[in-house]
């Protein structure tokens, strides 16, 4: 049975004091998900009850169709401008404080927003890549997302203004930003957007350097993440529903090895059955309290 906890959290198995004891002892691996960035204005894919709000574009759809890539980049062109205005919140800063205290073996994030690094964290393993880079699916060249955005802006003058004119209210556009910077746009607008080709091979197969749904995380990245968990005494999961195996496998690994698993997130989690400590509540408030108590 869930019960209220201090600091706005709700406790399942375990308690805040047990979480504090786990982190104070040190050698904790941290795994973060989209829920950590919601307080920065970036919504996650799922609602508080775990139901998926939106269906992101699948890798096969993106890679197999120029029209799909046009749709993605038109929407992302708008979403990116607002996505980049997001800044770290109290939860990100608290994770950085825990890292600086020497209690963590590492930070593994499912997020692609770079907010951990902006908050001052170092050696963050980005499990699903980063939106800061672009990769060409044809030749493999990697380049700057900022540079691509500038090229898109030059090739699509007035596009953002047309989007706002159709939306009628900038807040209607902003409210639909997704964790990958994508956004919902009308098809009539999408078809007017001019794709930009790779500057190396000339193909229109540029993709954000992130792992799409239906795409596999690189093996070396997975191995690095497993090493982070294997070196730890326990695993702390923050803001992730663990709905996809790319994150859930680390909970299974820690549980298999008899290590404590603490999960702090607002909604249900696939790892709840493996959790030895389970807190439901606002991450910024809970983690700020945790970092202050550890210091």
């Amino acid at each position: 049975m869930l019960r209220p906890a201090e600091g706005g959290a709700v406790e399942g198995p375990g308690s805040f004091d047990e979480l504090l004891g786990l982190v104070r002892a040190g050698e904790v691996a941290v795994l973060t998900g989209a829920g950590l960035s919601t307080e920065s204005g970036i919504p996650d894919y799922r609602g508080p009850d775990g139901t998926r709000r939106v269906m992101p574009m699948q890798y096969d759809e993106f890679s197999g169709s120029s029209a799909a890539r046009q749709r993605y980049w038109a929407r992302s062109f708008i979403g990116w401008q607002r996505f980049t205005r997001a800044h770290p919140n109290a939860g990100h800063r608290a994770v950085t404080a825990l890292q600086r205290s020497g209690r963590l073996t590492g930070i593994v994030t499912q997020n692609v927003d770079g907010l951990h690094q902006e908050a001052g964290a170092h050696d963050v393993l980005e499990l699903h890549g980063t939106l800061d880079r672009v990769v060409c699916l044809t030749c493999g060249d990697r380049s700057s997302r900022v540079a691509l955005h500038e090229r898109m802006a030059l090739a699509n003058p007035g596009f953002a203004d047309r989007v706002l004119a159709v939306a009628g209210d900038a807040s209607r556009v902003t409210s639909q930003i997704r964790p990958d910077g994508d956004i919902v746009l009308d098809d009539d607008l999408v078809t007017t957007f001019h794709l930009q080709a790779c500057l190396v091979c000339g193909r229109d197969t540029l993709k954000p350097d992130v792992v799409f749904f239906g795409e596999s995380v690189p093996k070396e990245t997975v191995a690095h993440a497993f090493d982070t968990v294997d070196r730890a005494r326990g695993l702390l999961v923050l803001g992730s529903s663990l709905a996809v195996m790319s994150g859930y496998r680390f909970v299974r690994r820690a549980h298999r090895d008899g290590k404590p698993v603490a999960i702090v997130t607002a909604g249900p989690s696939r790892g709840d059955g493996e959790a030895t400590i389970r807190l439901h509540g606002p991450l910024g408030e809970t983690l700020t309290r945790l970092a202050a108590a550890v210091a």
Side-chain angles (χ1 to χ4, degrees), residues 249-261:
R249 58 183 143 195
F250 305 115
V251 170
R252 294 179 64 182
R253 176 74 149 245
H255 180 70
R256 183 203 71 182
D257 293 344
K259 298 177 180 180
V261 175

Side-chain angles (χ1 to χ4, degrees), residues 132-144:
D132 282 346
R133 293 190 305 267
V134 177
V135 61
C136 177
L137 295 179
T138 301
C139 70
D141 181 67
R142 281 179 165 79
S143 55
S144 162

Side-chain angles (χ1 to χ4, degrees), residues 145-284:
R145 174 65 180 268
V146 172
L148 175 62
H149 185 82
E150 291 172 351
R151 287 204 287 138
M152 287 179 171
L154 288 173
N156 295 277
F159 185 77
D161 291 336
R162 293 197 298 276
V163 170
L164 288 177
V166 170
D169 183 352
S171 65
R172 289 181 58 194
V173 177
T174 303
S175 66
Q176 298 180 68
I177 296 175
R178 300 171 180 179
D180 61 356
D182 194 5
I183 202 166
V184 177
L185 287 182
D186 292 338
D187 288 343
D188 288 346
L189 285 168
V190 167
T191 56
T192 68
F193 188 81
H194 297 286
L195 272 177
Q196 294 302 289
C198 173
L199 293 176
V200 175
C201 70
R203 299 289 297 276
D204 74 338
T205 50
L206 293 176
K207 169 184 169 291
D209 198 7
V210 301
V211 177
F212 273 38
F213 280 79
E215 186 179 7
S216 297
V217 178
K219 291 182 179 179
E220 60 273 19
T221 303
V222 175
H224 189 175
F226 270 129
D227 179 65
T228 300
V229 174
D230 290 344
R231 289 186 289 108
R233 291 180 52 259
L235 175 63
L236 173 57
V237 180
L238 303 172
S240 178
S241 66
L242 300 170
V244 293
M245 185 56 73
S246 66
Y248 179 53
R249 58 183 143 195
F250 305 115
V251 170
R252 294 179 64 182
R253 176 74 149 245
H255 180 70
R256 183 203 71 182
D257 293 344
K259 298 177 180 180
V261 175
I263 300 177
V264 185
T265 192
S269 163
R270 187 180 182 183
D272 285 351
E274 288 93 346
T276 48
I277 301 169
R278 180 66 168 97
L279 300 183
H280 302 250
L283 280 164

